[in-house]
């Protein structure tokens, strides 16, 4: 964790297939379940990132969704320091 101008950035990366570029804006929508590779086989309920977005927004933070350059999904949370 490092501080950037009064903001605490938090990064969470997984080693899964990542997000489709066309879906990165949609994955925070309630009950959205994107395309998935058949070999991956698991799907969530489409609520996790919605809840993260709602909680972080209530704390005056922001959430960014994307893919890590080396593969896998990347969720970045930026929280203002109190």
């Amino acid at each position: 964790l490092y501080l950037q101008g009064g903001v605490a950035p938090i990064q969470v990366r997984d080693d899964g297939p990542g997000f489709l570029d066309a879906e990165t804006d949609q994955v925070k929508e309630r009950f959205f379940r994107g395309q998935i590779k058949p070999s991956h086989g698991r799907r969530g309920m489409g609520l996790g990132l919605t809840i993260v977005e709602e909680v972080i927004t209530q704390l005056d933070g922001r959430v960014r969704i994307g893919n890590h350059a080396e593969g896998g999904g990347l969720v970045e949370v930026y929280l203002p320091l109190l």
Side-chain angles (χ1 to χ4, degrees):
L1 178 68
Y2 60 93
L3 304 179
Q4 292 179 338
V7 175
I10 301 166
Q11 294 183 341
V12 179
R13 177 183 170 200
D14 69 21
D15 59 359
F19 300 101
L20 295 177
D21 290 337
E23 295 179 347
T24 55
D25 289 335
Q26 295 172 293
V27 295
K28 294 186 279 184
E29 294 176 10
R30 191 175 309 265
F31 302 114
F32 178 79
R33 293 170 51 166
Q35 298 293 321
I36 190 165
K37 294 180 180 178
S39 62
H40 192 262
R42 295 185 324 191
R43 296 185 69 160
M45 297 302 295
L47 288 173
L49 292 173
T50 300
I51 294 168
V52 168
E53 172 81 354
E54 289 178 11
V55 169
I56 297 304
T57 299
Q58 288 179 9
L59 296 170
D60 294 325
R62 63 186 176 90
V63 177
R64 195 176 101 190
I65 306 292
N67 292 305
H68 193 275
E70 296 174 11
L74 179 65
V75 177
E76 297 175 301
V77 174
Y78 299 90
L79 288 170
L81 298 176
L82 300 176

